[in-house]
Amino acid sequence: MRRAPSLPAGIDESPGSADNGTATVAPLRKAWGVLRRYPVVALTCLVLALTLVLLPTGLDLQVRILASGYAAVIVVARAAGMVRSLREGRWGIDLLALMAIVSTVAVGEYLAALVVILMLTGGEALEDFAQGRAARELRSLLDRAPRFAHREGPGAPLEEIPIGDVVPGDVLVVRPSELVPVDGELLSESAVLDESSLTGESLPVERSRGQGLLSGSVNGEAAIRLRAAATAADSQYSRIIALVEEASNSRAPVVRLADRYAVPFTLLAFLMAGTGWFLSGEALRFAQVLVVATPCPLLIAAPVAFLAGTSQAAHKGIIIKNTRTLEQLAKARTAVFDKTGTLTSGRPLLDEIRVAPGLGLSLGADRILQLAASAEQYSSHVLAASVIQAADAAGLDLLPVQHATESATKGVEARCGGHRVVVGKAGLVESLSTGFQEAVLRTGQLAVYVGVDGEYAGALVMKDPLRHDAVDTLARLHTLGVRHTMLLTGDVHATAAHIAREAGIGSIQAECLPEDKVNAVAALQERPVLMVGDGVNDAPVLAAADVGIAMGAKGATAASESADVVVMLDDLSKVALAVAIGKRTVSVALMSIWTGIGLSIVLMAIAMTGYIPAVTGALLQEMVDLATILNGLRALHGAEHQRAVRGLPPA
C-alpha cells in the first residue's frame, strides 16, 4: 500500500482531533508540501532568520561563517548548471546573480548575499508555482481507453478478454453505450454511433452491415457485433494517444522573459562596477556597485506579473496552465477553430417547423411539435432530446402516451392525444403515411419527419447553430492582433463552409482526421497559432499548437488535459479574453522589468561615486524590489478595471 509522506513531529493526526484538528492539519500539511517542493527557499529563509537573530548577540565571526558558508554552498551547487548553460549558448540571469553573491561575500556583505540568494531561489519558485503545469496530458485519454472486449467463441459463451488479446478476425460484441474497442467491420444489420469525440461530428452516425467502425466511438442503445480489423495498438484511438504524446514532447519551450535582458544588464553592471573601481582605486567600490546591481527586479518581475495574470484569468473562468502561455497569447497571429462544440453549440436545435402542404388534418405547427415531442419521450435517439427541448421552450405540455414502439435507428410510433403518431426518418414515416414529401434542406440542416393518423404532417428541421458570441469573439481577436483565422473540422465541406461564412472565418479545411488537423496546424506560417477545440479528436492538435485552448465546460477531459488554456465556462468570448489578459500581463511584466532595470542603473551610477554604502545599497535595492512587485501585481486587474479607476468609459 502506498503511504502518504510523513509529517514533521508535533502534528497530531489522531482521530480525537478530527473536529477542530482537521482545519489545523490541512494547512500544516499544505505548508509541509510547499517546504518539500521548495527546500532551498525554506533553508535560505532559515539561514537569513538565524543571521538576523544572532547578529545582536556579538557572534559576528560565527554569523559571517554561517552566512558566507551557506552562500558558498549555493554558488558551488548552481555553478555547474550555469557553466553547462553557458556552453549551450543560453545566457540567463543566473550569471549576474552568482557573481553578485560572490562579490558581496568577498567584501563581507553576507546579508546582501543572502538576500540575493532568496530572490534567486524565490523568484524561480514563484515562477514554478505560477506555471503549475501538470504533466498529465495522457491520463484522461488512457483512463477512457477501453481495456476489455467481449469476444464470441465458436459454440462458447461470450468471454471478456483484455483488449490487447484481440486479433484481426475476432468477432466482438459491443454492448449499449460501450466504446468500440478496436477498428472493425460491422456484422449487425445497423448501428447508431456517437463519433463526436473522434471526428467532431455532433450528430449520431448510422452504419450498416459491412461498414467500418472506429475504435473510441460510443455505441448506441442496442448491442452490436463486429469483426476486428486491427489490433488495439493499430486502431484509431491508440493513434490519437500516440499523437498527443508526440506533439507534447516536440513543442519547444519559450525562453524565460527576464533572460532576454540578462546579457546586456550583466555587461552594463560589470562595466559600471569596474569603472567605479578604476576611477576610485578602491575594490570596495566594485562591491558597492554590484550590491545595488543585484538582479532581483529581473528575477522576480516577470513571475509576479505572470502569477497575477493567471490569477486574474482564473477569476474569469479561464485556467492558464503555464506562464509561458501568456507570452504566446500576447503574440498570437493565427486562430484555428474546431466546429462542433466550439464555434457551434454541439446540440442540435429546432430551426423551423414545416407543415405539409394540403394537410387534411387541422394541425398547426405547435400541435405537430407537441405530438412529436410526446412520442419522442419513448425514443433513445439523440435527436429525441432536442425535439422535447424545443417543445418545452415553446411552452407545450407533453401528452400522455398510451402505447409506443421504437424501430431501432429509424424512429418511434406512439399513440398520444387521441392520435397515432410516427416520428423519425424519411423511410419510416413514408412507409406509414400518405402524401409524404421529403424536405429540401440547406447546408447544415437535417429533418425529423412526423406522420399523424396515417397522413404525412410535416418535418421538424434541426441544425447545430453558430454560437451567439462567435462573430463578436472573432472580431475582438482581430483587434487584439490575430490576423488569420481558420476552421478545422471532421464535418463535410458544405457544412464547414456554411459555418465559416456565418462566423467570418478566412479559410477552412473539412473532413479532417486528427492527423490531418495536426499537419494543418504545423503547416501554418503565421505564428504563434491558437487552436480552440474540445473532444478527444482535438487533443492531438491542441497539444501541437503553440497555444491549445480547450472549451472544457462540456467535460472533454482529454482536450482539457492536452491544452495550455482551459475555458471552464461554455463561453467562446473567453478565448478573446484570454488573449487580452496575455497581452496585458506581458505588458505589465515588461514595465516591471524596465522599471527595475532603470532604478538599478540609477543606483549603480550613484554607487560609482561612493555615496551609497553597501548596507544602504542593499536597503535601497529592496525598495526597487518592492516597486517591481507592486507594479507586477497590476496584472491582477484587467484593462477595463484600469479604465474604470480613471473614470473612463469601457472600451
Side-chain angles (χ1 to χ4, degrees), residues 12-205:
D12 181 18
E13 290 189 282
S14 62
S17 61
D19 293 337
N20 59 357
T22 301
T24 303
V25 170
L28 288 174
R29 184 185 295 275
K30 186 174 182 179
W32 176 241
V34 172
L35 291 179
R36 293 187 63 189
R37 186 174 180 181
Y38 306 115
V40 180
V41 178
L43 188 57
T44 303
C45 291
L46 178 61
V47 172
L48 183 58
L50 285 174
T51 301
L52 294 174
V53 169
L54 294 176
L55 270 178
T57 64
L59 302 175
D60 292 347
L61 179 60
Q62 291 84 344
V63 170
R64 181 186 296 272
I65 293 174
L66 171 66
S68 301
Y70 178 72
V73 170
I74 293 296
V75 169
V76 171
R78 299 185 68 97
M82 183 193 71
V83 171
R84 185 165 53 251
S85 297
L86 293 176
R87 286 178 176 175
E88 295 172 357
R90 292 185 286 111
W91 289 73
I93 199 65
D94 292 351
L95 175 62
L96 181 56
L98 293 184
M99 291 304 298
I101 295 171
V102 171
S103 62
T104 48
V105 169
V107 297
E109 297 293 341
Y110 45 85
L111 272 177
L114 293 178
V115 171
V116 175
I117 294 172
L118 183 60
M119 291 300 102
L120 176 65
T121 58
E124 292 172 349
L126 182 59
E127 186 172 20
D128 179 68
F129 178 78
Q131 288 179 357
R133 182 167 178 90
R136 304 190 307 266
E137 282 85 359
L138 298 177
R139 188 190 63 189
S140 58
L141 284 172
L142 294 173
D143 288 346
R144 186 178 181 271
R147 289 176 169 77
F148 297 94
H150 308 291
R151 182 172 62 186
E152 286 186 356
L158 204 63
E159 60 175 335
E160 185 177 89
I161 61 172
I163 192 172
D165 293 346
V166 175
V167 296
D170 283 349
V171 176
L172 308 176
V173 173
V174 183
R175 294 170 178 168
S177 300
E178 282 188 344
L179 289 175
V180 175
V182 296
D183 294 349
E185 176 189 344
L186 182 63
L187 299 179
S188 300
E189 286 296 326
S190 62
V192 178
L193 301 161
D194 178 4
E195 295 183 354
S196 61
S197 63
L198 298 172
T199 66
E201 173 55 62
S202 59
L203 303 176
V205 176

Side-chain angles (χ1 to χ4, degrees), residues 15 37 47 50 82 103 113 173 186 240 247 294 313 322 405-406 418 433 443 445 474 487 498 502 523 542 636:
R37 186 174 180 181
V47 172
L50 285 174
M82 183 193 71
S103 62
V173 173
L186 182 63
I240 290 177
T294 51
N322 60 74
T405 304
E406 183 177 20
S433 308
T443 302
Q445 291 182 328
L474 285 159
L487 175 63
H498 174 71
E502 283 192 60
L542 288 176
L636 281 170

